[in-house]
Amino acid sequence: MSAEKAIDIKNLTITTQGGRTLVDNISLHLNKGEILGVVGESGSGKTLTAKTIMNLLPENLVCKAQSFCVLGADYLTMEKKAKKALVGSKVGYVPQNTGSYLHPMIKIKDQIADGYLLYTKNNLEEALQRARRLVSAVGIRDTERLLKSYPWQLSGGMRQRVNIAMSLMNKPRLIVADEPTTALDSTVQMQVVDLLKAVNAQHETPVLMISHDLGLVKYYCQRIVVMYAGQIMEEAPVDEVFANPKHPYTRALIKVIPSLNMKKGERLAEIPGQITAKRSAGPGCVFKERCSYCQSACERDIEVKKVNDKHFYRCALDL
Amino acid sequence: MFGYIYKRTSHAIEVLLIVSIITFAVLQWIPGDAAQLILGAEATPEKVAALRTAMGLDRPWYIQYWDWLKGLFQLDLGRSYLFGQEVVTLIQQRLPVTMSLAAFSMILASVTAIILGSMAAIKKNTTVDYISTSLMQLGSSVPAFWLGMLFIVYFGLELKWFPVAGYVSPDHGLGPYLHSIALPSIVLAIGEVGMLLRTVRTSMLDSLSQDFMDMAKAKGLASSTMYLKYALRSAMIAPINVMGLQFAKMVGGTVVVESVFGLPGVGRLVLVAVEQRDIFLFQGLVMFITMLVILISLLVDIAVMFINPRIRIEMQGE
Amino acid sequence: MAANRRRIQERFQLIGGSVLTALVVLLCLLSFVWVPHDPNAMQLSMRFIGPGENPQFILGTDYFGRDILSRIIYGSRSILLVCVLAVTAGSVIGSLLGAIAGIVKKGPISGLIMRSIDGLMAFPGILLAMMMVAAVGKGREGAIVAISVFMIPPFARLVYSLILDSENSLFIKAARSYNISKTRLLRKHYLPLLLPRLITLFTACIGSAIMIETSLSFLGLGIQPPNASWGLMLNEARQHFLQFPYLAMAPGIAIALSVLGFNLLGDGLNDALSRRRS
């Protein structure tokens, strides 16, 4: 319950109604003013974790946790309405840039400000004033035209800027960004992440950034959590992740970051196999089927090992 | 955009031509001879033959069809020998009744379907959902004529809330007019609402599963804003199409209800035409109603395009 | 939980629908074996006996002193006969037209067929039925022709769209690459795909066929007196139902329950089918 942490989750488990585990007993925290990167392939449970924080978990999933605090509020005991109000007024949400998060039949100006109007009691003119300021702060010049547009009239990068501006309307005390750069050009990707970083620097707003791109997260996060098949594989400050990766999966992820020093004709590295759709029910490491170091020790239950106060990993081997 | 309107309009004209061919062909098939029917069984063959020539019935069918089709495009629907009047005049006298019925029942059905259908979708798989879908299933299984009779007995005779039959024109005051049209409109609406409710529920479910609903929830918007401003807006397009089509079809589908409630509408005229075998009246009525159906569904299709801002703006750009 | 309840509802639809349709079919079979009274025997001394007033006439008697229960039992026979025959005819003609249009795809024949189907669908339902009755004549044959014409479009459209949809599926492409004959393609590959959907549509169509038949009979255009038919019974009840509302009850409930039965069964089958597909 410490007010020091923007997010503090202990032993979160999410299962389907059929009993399939999607997120397996993870603990996660986000310190004040920090940018935390959660990295993993699709299917690792990172988006579900973010959705749980945003109070957007699909109703057919069951979520259990020992403790689940966001901005000092306890989700486990909170009323539905209070949770919705907390998320709406204090948490900014930057979604995956699919464009579908903006309503295609409503003009930007009519959807950018409605959350602000609800939680600040200000009038529409003030709301639009703030929207204009934020939209130009995220690097859009012709703000008037933008506000009068429909989402489908904008490019992907523009839409994501609108999403970011929208998430900032209520001066959020926490930002959850779920793959904010998917499907954007790489230059736009950098701009989008720069924006989030600038917000973080200016207001010390903590950011939880979900991404599958370790290479991108590397430059912006202070700490990284690597997830695989619903479990946390490794957690460490960003420098240590790259200098001293302990988990084979982390190593594999680092290896697949494309480098500019690649020789011509060299194949991009890849991790063989896929996230096991049906996780082997038995004990043992969840990554063992794809791990090149796999040994007999991996068949037993894996304990979390500690390198130092900030660096943990979940591997039977000592690499 | 204009390309679409052009395509849609030419399709409508094609369908109209097909409909005219079907109607003409089917009614050519009617046993007995129009001239004989008019003159009665005891007329001499010479008289019948003379009338046939006068009516142009002895010409080849394709010339008859062509003349009839030309007439249609000038809104000349032919002449009823039963009434001795132009079919258009007969329709004009009776159209207000039928139109009122269709309009009021459509309003009732739409409001009910939108409210219940949205609620059923929002509270999917709950008691609300099951009750509203089951009620609608029941509603669309009950034949309108029987429901009409029950309503007349209960609301008309027992409770005396509504007159049991008859139509009061709005010239005699809005109150009596609405009063006379209420019961039949409700009966018609109950029959229509089921299909509409299904459409609303399905497209609302689709709308609710969209990402922008996640965003609306993440913004912490009140449920009313979420559902009214975001979900319903994109969920309404398919139901509006269905509403247009249902309204159009109701103009010809009120026969049974008009008959039960003794309303002097177009439907009653259709029934008289069939019973008395007034072929020209029937032919004219069928073509008029079907043209109306085709025209209304064409207009609704075009209107729906204008509701969608994407298409509207792209057209301004042209 | 939610998925479970959905399945319970689906089962309820299937069971409820089966029970009601079975009831109608049993009633129809019963009419061949036993009826309490001759449905057309008039006993003017026995007019307007209310339901329950006389143990001989459980549902009472009508204006002519005919036993209502016997007429209901007889009515189920005529309605099933008309509707099953009509929907069968309509489904066969419609499916054939749809199949032809789907297989020749482009070209004047396919265009003509599908445009004609569009044309048929432009008529408001009861109007098309009345037109066919006007052409063929009042009575049972007229009703059968009217309903079967009405049933052509849904079957033609279903078959046409299913064939076009599966055009691109791999197994059809594979079959085509063997250069097998078109009839064999239709029989061996499309039929298994189509059959469950056709059966579902058929069931649902019986429901709407009952609705049309009873409407026609109610308007005096379907089955003619003195034969027993539910719609006709309601028509005959019109003159007296203000004094004797019970006259309208039995036939109305019979119609509503049988339409509901076939609709429920159709919906249940449809849901079960789409769940199996997904």
Side-chain angles (χ1 to χ4, degrees):
Chain A
M1 282 273 175
S2 85
E4 289 298 301
K5 290 170 180 165
I7 298 174
D8 196 2
I9 301 171
K10 285 207 173 66
N11 304 78
L12 170 72
T13 299
I14 301 175
T15 52
T16 61
Q17 283 173 338
R20 205 156 66 84
T21 308
L22 301 173
V23 170
D24 188 2
N25 205 17
I26 67 163
S27 297
L28 192 85
H29 66 273
L30 173 64
N31 295 319
K32 267 200 160 169
E34 180 185 47
I35 303 185
L36 172 69
V38 178
V39 184
E41 290 164 84
S42 39
S44 61
K46 55 194 189 336
T47 295
L48 272 184
T49 309
K51 288 212 159 161
T52 317
I53 295 167
M54 289 313 296
N55 189 25
L56 292 176
L57 196 68
E59 276 170 25
N60 52 5
L61 298 181
V62 186
C63 154
K64 274 190 219 119
Q66 194 192 337
S67 78
F68 199 122
C69 292
V70 174
L71 297 171
D74 185 1
Y75 266 30
L76 298 177
T77 56
M78 238 171 151
E79 298 250 347
K80 263 190 183 172
K81 262 198 168 156
K83 217 195 262 184
K84 193 161 141 185
L86 174 85
V87 169
S89 60
K90 291 182 181 160
V91 184
Y93 181 51
V94 182
Q96 281 192 31
N97 177 49
T98 55
S100 56
Y101 282 86
L102 294 166
H103 196 296
M105 293 168 75
I106 303 178
K107 286 181 182 169
I108 301 291
K109 70 177 161 80
D110 294 324
Q111 48 185 326
I112 195 168
D114 45 12
Y116 178 76
L117 285 171
L118 184 67
Y119 288 105
T120 56
K121 310 278 173 249
N122 286 340
N123 63 28
L124 184 66
E125 207 22 67
E126 286 169 286
L128 285 181
Q129 212 52 53
R130 179 165 173 77
R132 268 183 216 112
R133 235 184 8 257
L134 283 172
V135 168
S136 71
V138 295
I140 293 170
R141 258 170 259 136
D142 197 347
T143 54
E144 278 317 307
R145 219 187 84 196
L146 177 104
L147 288 177
K148 278 188 196 135
S149 311
Y150 290 95
W152 43 268
Q153 293 174 302
L154 309 174
S155 68
M158 283 288 214
R159 279 200 291 257
Q160 194 60 323
R161 279 170 226 254
V162 171
N163 276 331
I164 292 175
M166 193 154 73
S167 74
L168 298 176
M169 282 296 285
N170 281 342
K171 299 198 177 98
R173 288 169 50 198
L174 164 66
I175 292 177
V176 176
D178 184 7
E179 307 244 16
T181 58
T182 318
L184 294 178
D185 291 344
S186 48
T187 47
V188 184
Q189 281 190 11
M190 287 300 176
Q191 291 168 358
V192 164
V193 188
D194 277 337
L195 266 170
L196 288 173
K197 177 118 181 149
V199 173
N200 168 263
Q202 252 175 33
H203 308 285
E204 293 209 327
T205 316
V207 179
L208 180 74
M209 177 127 76
I210 310 278
S211 179
H212 59 266
D213 186 349
L214 194 58
L216 189 78
V217 166
K218 179 180 175 183
Y219 297 103
Y220 297 96
C221 299
Q222 281 106 45
R223 218 151 48 81
I224 289 177
V225 166
V226 178
M227 281 185 77
Y228 182 82
Q231 292 183 353
I232 291 179
M233 297 287 103
E234 186 157 9
E235 175 187 340
V238 69
D239 304 337
E240 266 197 64
V241 168
F242 285 90
N244 185 20
K246 283 293 187 186
H247 199 284
Y249 182 59
T250 316
R251 293 186 181 188
L253 279 181
I254 294 171
K255 229 167 83 187
V256 299
I257 301 174
S259 149
L260 284 177
N261 307 329
M262 276 171 75
K263 293 181 197 77
K264 195 180 171 191
E266 192 183 336
R267 236 180 104 84
L268 283 170
E270 59 182 335
I271 306 175
Q274 290 173 347
I275 289 198
T276 30
K278 253 193 212 151
R279 273 192 41 212
S280 34
C285 177
V286 288
F287 187 57
K288 66 184 178 211
E289 283 90 355
R290 296 170 71 187
C291 184
S292 45
Y293 304 91
C294 183
Q295 294 177 10
S296 58
C298 303
E299 301 294 341
R300 272 174 266 130
D301 272 333
I302 312 293
E303 298 210 343
V304 176
K305 290 185 186 165
K306 182 174 171 184
V307 181
N308 56 44
D309 277 351
K310 287 181 173 172
H311 190 171
F312 305 88
Y313 66 102
R314 193 188 185 105
C315 181
L317 310 171
D318 202 12
L319 300 167
Chain B
M1 172 81 186
F2 284 120
Y4 177 80
I5 292 182
Y6 172 76
K7 236 173 85 183
R8 185 66 188 74
T9 312
S10 57
H11 177 252
I13 293 173
E14 272 172 49
V15 172
L16 196 64
L17 278 177
I18 298 264
V19 162
S20 74
I21 292 172
I22 294 175
T23 310
F24 187 81
V26 168
L27 294 178
Q28 284 291 302
W29 206 1
I30 286 194
D33 182 284
Q36 184 85 58
L37 279 170
I38 295 172
L39 293 174
E42 56 279 356
T44 60
E46 291 76 35
K47 273 191 172 174
V48 174
L51 187 63
R52 280 177 63 89
T53 319
M55 289 169 74
L57 291 177
D58 54 348
R59 294 170 303 164
W61 62 268
Y62 50 85
I63 294 183
Q64 289 187 45
Y65 171 71
W66 179 244
D67 274 358
W68 179 63
L69 194 65
K70 271 196 303 195
L72 284 184
F73 281 100
Q74 295 152 17
L75 262 180
D76 172 13
L77 298 173
R79 204 176 165 78
S80 156
Y81 64 78
L82 195 67
F83 292 87
Q85 277 177 301
E86 290 293 318
V87 175
V88 177
T89 322
L90 292 169
I91 291 175
Q92 264 174 359
Q93 291 161 355
R94 289 162 178 80
L95 198 58
V97 183
T98 303
M99 278 296 193
S100 315
L101 265 184
F104 280 116
S105 55
M106 210 55 233
I107 292 170
L108 279 175
S110 307
V111 172
T112 320
I114 291 170
I115 295 174
L116 283 183
S118 309
M119 269 168 51
I122 291 166
K123 306 216 174 285
K124 190 189 169 200
N125 291 336
T126 63
T127 322
V128 181
D129 186 11
Y130 295 141
I131 289 181
S132 62
T133 38
S134 315
L135 273 183
M136 287 315 120
Q137 202 142 34
L138 202 65
S140 39
S141 305
V142 175
F145 43 93
W146 183 53
L147 198 65
M149 290 166 88
L150 292 187
F151 276 21
I152 288 175
V153 169
Y154 191 68
F155 294 110
L157 222 60
E158 285 276 315
L159 300 174
K160 297 196 177 1
W161 286 357
F162 298 99
V164 287
Y167 170 75
V168 183
S169 135
D171 302 339
H172 301 288
L174 196 63
Y177 161 70
L178 290 176
H179 207 210
S180 71
I181 211 93
L183 217 45
S185 301
I186 295 172
V187 169
L188 266 178
I190 290 176
E192 295 298 320
V193 78
M195 157 111 166
L196 201 52
L197 186 135
R198 263 179 206 223
T199 320
V200 172
R201 183 176 177 274
T202 317
S203 69
M204 189 72 178
L205 277 179
D206 178 61
S207 182
L208 288 176
S209 69
Q210 298 287 322
D211 287 334
F212 56 71
M213 289 310 292
D214 263 7
M215 192 47 135
K217 200 177 169 199
K219 283 195 277 189
L221 299 181
S223 305
S224 56
T225 323
M226 266 170 66
Y227 297 137
L228 293 179
K229 180 172 169 181
Y230 285 84
L232 209 53
R233 191 178 295 234
S234 48
M236 277 320 289
I237 295 209
I240 287 177
N241 268 318
V242 176
M243 279 176 212
L245 205 64
Q246 276 187 323
F247 174 76
K249 291 216 163 177
M250 222 181 301
V251 174
T254 55
V255 184
V256 169
V257 170
E258 283 179 20
S259 163
V260 173
F261 286 90
L263 300 173
V266 176
R268 275 291 281 271
L269 198 59
V270 175
L271 191 57
V272 171
V274 175
E275 276 173 344
Q276 307 295 325
R277 306 175 90 181
D278 187 339
I279 302 170
F280 298 115
L281 176 59
F282 188 66
Q283 213 171 33
L285 281 168
V286 170
M287 275 320 289
F288 172 77
I289 293 168
T290 317
M291 282 197 297
L292 207 63
V293 171
I294 294 171
L295 184 71
I296 293 177
S297 56
L298 173 69
L299 290 180
V300 169
D301 267 11
I302 293 175
V304 164
M305 290 179 19
F306 277 92
I307 295 172
N308 193 337
R310 180 159 204 164
I311 298 166
R312 194 174 60 220
I313 287 175
E314 274 164 14
M315 196 186 79
Q316 282 163 3
E318 272 178 38
Chain C
M1 240 311 249
N4 256 351
R5 293 179 72 166
R6 180 67 30 210
R7 198 153 310 167
I8 289 169
Q9 195 203 14
E10 187 186 301
R11 192 149 304 159
F12 169 79
Q13 283 184 332
L14 278 176
I15 293 173
S18 314
V19 168
L20 287 175
T21 46
L23 220 60
V24 182
V25 174
L26 278 179
L27 218 54
C28 168
L29 292 178
L30 184 68
S31 76
F32 289 100
V33 190
W34 173 83
V35 276
H37 299 269
D38 179 353
N40 294 336
M42 301 185 188
Q43 274 181 284
L44 293 182
S45 58
M46 294 289 184
R47 287 164 57 174
F48 298 128
I49 295 174
E53 281 173 22
N54 183 335
Q56 266 200 296
F57 306 99
I58 300 169
L59 294 178
T61 58
D62 66 5
Y63 173 70
F64 296 107
R66 296 176 296 196
D67 178 38
I68 292 184
L69 179 62
S70 308
R71 289 181 73 73
I72 293 277
I73 296 176
Y74 250 78
S76 70
R77 189 203 291 187
S78 54
I79 206 159
L80 273 192
L81 182 79
V82 168
C83 292
V84 170
L85 268 180
V87 178
T88 308
S91 63
V92 169
I93 299 172
S95 306
L96 281 179
L97 287 177
I100 294 170
I103 287 192
V104 298
K105 265 186 300 189
K106 296 209 170 74
I109 297 174
S110 166
L112 186 67
I113 291 176
M114 291 325 283
R115 283 289 182 278
S116 308
I117 299 295
D118 285 348
L120 279 182
M121 290 186 76
F123 292 101
I126 191 75
L127 202 65
L128 182 64
M130 288 171 87
M131 189 162 86
M132 299 318 294
V133 170
V136 181
K138 292 180 195 175
R140 181 168 288 141
E141 294 72 29
I144 292 177
V145 172
I147 296 170
S148 52
V149 170
F150 189 75
M151 294 304 163
I152 292 174
F155 285 95
R157 286 207 153 184
L158 176 71
V159 173
Y160 179 71
S161 66
L162 277 182
I163 288 182
L164 284 199
D165 281 353
S166 54
E167 225 22 39
N168 294 322
S169 67
L170 275 178
F171 67 97
I172 298 284
K173 274 188 182 159
R176 274 186 194 279
S177 70
Y178 303 145
N179 205 10
I180 63 173
S181 76
K182 281 195 169 170
T183 45
R184 195 177 154 78
L185 188 74
L186 202 62
R187 201 159 44 89
K188 284 276 174 190
H189 294 274
Y190 286 115
L191 207 57
L193 201 74
L194 285 169
L195 214 52
R197 300 282 294 271
L198 285 176
I199 291 171
T200 307
L201 185 61
F202 190 92
T203 315
C205 278
I206 298 273
S208 33
I210 294 178
M211 205 66 130
I212 301 174
E213 197 283 329
T214 51
S215 300
L216 284 176
S217 295
F218 177 78
L219 293 173
L221 302 175
I223 293 168
Q224 296 297 307
N227 291 319
S229 142
W230 297 343
L232 190 62
M233 287 171 80
L234 281 174
N235 182 17
E236 288 164 348
R238 285 171 76 180
Q239 275 131 39
H240 309 286
F241 82 101
L242 290 180
Q243 297 105 291
F244 305 104
Y246 77 88
L247 287 176
M249 294 315 287
I253 292 173
I255 298 171
L257 287 185
S258 38
V259 175
L260 183 67
F262 282 102
N263 282 353
L264 281 178
L265 193 60
D267 280 357
L269 286 175
N270 197 24
D271 287 357
L273 211 64
S274 54
R275 193 161 49 81
R276 211 183 60 190
R277 265 202 307 277
S278 65

